[in-house]
Structure formats: C-alpha cells, structure tokens
Amino acid sequence: MTFTREQQKEAYKKLSPEVQDFVMSIETAELIENYLKEAGLSEEQSIDADSEILYALYGLQPLSTAIANITKLNNKNAEDFSELKLNLEKTIF
C-alpha cells in the first residue's frame, strides 16, 4: 500500500524519540537490507519491500500486511517470505 508523504510524516511524528532513532538507525536499515537480500529480492524489489516495512515501523500497517504486500508485489507465495517475517519479528518488531 502507498501512503502519502503527509501520512508518513504524521505517523513518524507520533513515534517516541527513542523509536524514531531506532527506525532511522543505520543498524536497523542494515538488518532490513540483509533480510531482503536473504529473501532473494533484487535491488529494485528491495526498495518497494523496504517501504512496506517502513510503513509497518511507522505504525501505518501491521507487519503481516507489509509481508502480504511484498508477496503481491513480487508475485510470490507467502511461504517465500516466512523467514523474512520471522527475522523481522525477532529482531526489529
């Protein structure tokens, strides 16, 4: 799903400063990037997937919706991203 820039800004502002720092940290970005590579996504596919995960981090959608959207965007089965979801749940969410 696509959210407007304004929706993203408002959601980000509602996060506590600690969560804002966590979401925008290099470590978090690197973890997500590595998980997307492990899931076999190309660089272009990873950009869309990263946006979906970011929307979940902002609280705009649940992680399960982000994974479902990533699945649809890449014409794959949900099982193809079960490890991605598990990794994200364990280390980020």
Side-chain angles (χ1 to χ4, degrees):
M1 175 165 214
T2 303
F3 293 93
T4 66
R5 195 87 168 127
E6 190 60 34
Q7 287 173 311
Q8 293 174 47
K9 284 182 186 179
E10 287 302 312
Y12 182 76
K13 287 179 190 177
K14 290 179 183 178
L15 301 174
S16 70
E18 295 83 12
V19 174
Q20 287 176 353
D21 289 345
F22 175 77
V23 168
M24 301 310 278
S25 73
I26 292 171
E27 293 84 4
T28 300
E30 287 175 347
L31 274 173
I32 293 169
E33 181 181 345
N34 288 336
Y35 293 152
L36 295 174
K37 283 181 185 175
E38 289 173 6
L41 297 179
S42 69
E43 188 172 331
E44 184 177 313
Q45 292 169 322
S46 291
I47 291 169
D48 291 334
D50 185 70
S51 293
E52 291 294 331
I53 294 166
L54 191 60
Y55 298 152
L57 286 169
Y58 284 179
L60 291 168
Q61 66 185 7
L63 179 59
S64 58
T65 300
I67 298 298
N69 290 340
I70 293 167
T71 300
K72 288 178 195 171
L73 287 168
N74 294 289
N75 298 317
K76 298 211 177 201
N77 296 318
E79 304 91 48
D80 295 333
F81 296 108
S82 60
E83 187 173 336
L84 171 64
K85 184 179 182 208
L86 182 64
N87 287 336
L88 290 169
E89 288 174 334
K90 283 197 299 188
T91 59
I92 296 176
F93 288 85

